[in-house]
Amino acid sequence: RDYPEHIKPLACAMPLNPFSGKNKLALTAASWIYRALAAAEGHEVGKIAFLDPSQTRDLLPLLAPAAKHGVFTWTDAQVPEVQVFNNVLRNEAVESGVVLLEDTRVTKIQRTSLGFSVGIQSSEDSSQLSSRCVINSSGPWIDSIEVNGVPEFSPPARLWCRAFNIVLTRKIESTHAIGVPTPQGRLLFLVQRNTSSAIGTWYLKLNSTADSAQISEHEVSAALQEMNSCLPDLNLSFDDVSNIECGVLPVKRYVLERPVLFGSERIECRHGYLDLTSTKYTTFRTQAKRVVSQLDPFFSKQVGIVAEHKSGTKEADSLT
């Protein structure tokens, strides 16, 4: 709605399963609940529809072998050029007065009587910043920053996983992004891009630091085999792989070495210090609203500041 030139509607489809939560009745009820919640937030929701097996063979032949009971279709969102959109958001922030310090590492966060002192280090020097509040959203590097003096806050035990998509050398034509269930019950997606397609997402245990996270050739091979088992007509091989998109995400726990992701962002707020971990990019605006609502009390109240004049006298000012 706010960035239509960068966030595009994405038609999606997945097979129905009358013996699981992905049956027609459950999906209809979930869709109406989601529509009501979205309307309350002022968002528009695209249409949903159900296709019978005959319609699926005509409209989505690639999905037909996995859709013996028909297909559920809905509208999601896609950011085709993520880096371009990042630059747009960055420029908007700068134009609104935000000061960005790039290539600068945060080394320490210390709570003080007036807020926080934040230690930073660049390639040129190190210095201190003062702030009323701090939002720590540094992802898998969040625990590398020393945090002191925040009452009632202790860093939660965090687990991380590797997440990756496979970008293909060719574009697999389809009117919809296709979601197919794996034997474990997860959905893998085939999504069309400008001149190619991508498949994923796979989640694997992280056994190293975030900086050294990699996806092995064996893991890529296993992913291709799994996708081929879900959609045999794809017949993917290493020759179809253009590149791998890899990231690191927070997880709730591991079950038999398989990561269980958070359903939404995880926020811990104590005395103006906010600790944020998230798995989603497309919900950034909703997350930002929740963060601001939790920090608003620290900006709206008056805080006494003692200012020392050259004469040596002290005077109490107020900052609203």
Side-chain angles (χ1 to χ4, degrees), residues 101 104 106 108 110 116-120 127-131 134:
L101 302 178
T104 301
V106 176
K108 184 177 181 179
Q110 176 69 51
F116 293 88
S117 174
V118 180
I120 60 173
S127 59
Q128 301 284 327
L129 299 176
S130 296
S131 174
V134 170

Side-chain angles (χ1 to χ4, degrees), residues 83-138:
Q83 190 56 55
V84 173
F85 187 42
N86 282 344
N87 291 337
V88 169
L89 297 178
R90 177 191 183 281
N91 293 338
E92 284 188 357
V94 172
E95 290 171 2
S96 66
V98 172
V99 177
L100 294 179
L101 302 178
E102 299 179 298
D103 299 319
T104 301
R105 185 168 66 93
V106 176
T107 57
K108 184 177 181 179
I109 299 171
Q110 176 69 51
R111 189 168 186 264
T112 68
S113 59
L114 299 179
F116 293 88
S117 174
V118 180
I120 60 173
Q121 184 172 10
S122 66
S123 58
E124 299 177 355
D125 62 2
S126 59
S127 59
Q128 301 284 327
L129 299 176
S130 296
S131 174
R132 180 80 63 83
C133 302
V134 170
I135 302 170
N136 190 347
S137 58
S138 49

Side-chain angles (χ1 to χ4, degrees), residues 9-255:
L10 179 67
C12 301
M14 72 174 183
L16 291 170
N17 184 343
F19 308 107
S20 76
K22 297 179 177 65
N23 63 72
K24 190 171 183 178
L25 180 61
L27 289 171
T28 299
S31 298
W32 279 108
I33 293 172
Y34 177 72
R35 189 180 296 273
L37 293 173
E41 293 285 335
H43 302 309
E44 296 181 4
V45 179
K47 293 182 179 180
I48 67 166
F50 294 94
L51 306 180
D52 62 33
S54 175
Q55 293 172 312
T56 303
R57 286 191 294 271
D58 292 337
L59 298 175
L60 295 165
L62 186 63
L63 188 56
K68 297 179 181 179
H69 301 282
V71 160
F72 171 65
T73 67
W74 74 99
T75 303
D76 210 318
Q78 182 182 34
V79 182
E81 299 290 345
V82 174
Q83 190 56 55
V84 173
F85 187 42
N86 282 344
N87 291 337
V88 169
L89 297 178
R90 177 191 183 281
N91 293 338
E92 284 188 357
V94 172
E95 290 171 2
S96 66
V98 172
V99 177
L100 294 179
L101 302 178
E102 299 179 298
D103 299 319
T104 301
R105 185 168 66 93
V106 176
T107 57
K108 184 177 181 179
I109 299 171
Q110 176 69 51
R111 189 168 186 264
T112 68
S113 59
L114 299 179
F116 293 88
S117 174
V118 180
I120 60 173
Q121 184 172 10
S122 66
S123 58
E124 299 177 355
D125 62 2
S126 59
S127 59
Q128 301 284 327
L129 299 176
S130 296
S131 174
R132 180 80 63 83
C133 302
V134 170
I135 302 170
N136 190 347
S137 58
S138 49
W141 298 275
I142 194 167
D143 291 325
S144 67
I145 302 172
E146 182 182 349
V147 180
N148 294 319
V150 182
E152 303 171 20
F153 175 78
S154 59
R158 286 186 243 262
L159 298 171
W160 304 91
C161 74
R162 293 170 292 153
F164 74 97
N165 298 323
I166 300 175
V167 181
L168 305 176
T169 56
R170 56 191 171 102
K171 185 173 184 178
I172 298 172
E173 295 298 334
S174 176
T175 57
H176 291 64
I178 293 174
V180 287
T182 68
Q184 292 76 31
R186 284 199 317 109
L187 278 181
L188 292 175
F189 276 88
L190 165 68
V191 180
Q192 296 70 41
R193 296 190 177 177
N194 292 332
T195 59
S196 64
S197 296
I199 56 175
T201 301
W202 285 272
Y203 305 98
L204 302 171
K205 193 169 185 177
L206 178 66
N207 294 314
S208 65
T209 64
D211 290 314
S212 58
Q214 294 181 340
I215 306 300
S216 70
E217 186 173 302
H218 172 74
E219 290 165 337
V220 173
S221 177
L224 292 173
Q225 291 178 20
E226 185 175 32
M227 196 68 183
N228 283 335
S229 69
C230 295
L231 294 174
D233 290 345
L234 286 180
N235 194 27
L236 297 172
S237 68
F238 268 104
D239 292 336
D240 295 307
V241 177
S242 171
N243 64 282
I244 306 297
E245 299 172 336
C246 177
V248 175
L249 295 177
V251 296
K252 282 185 180 180
R253 60 186 179 275
Y254 282 94
V255 177

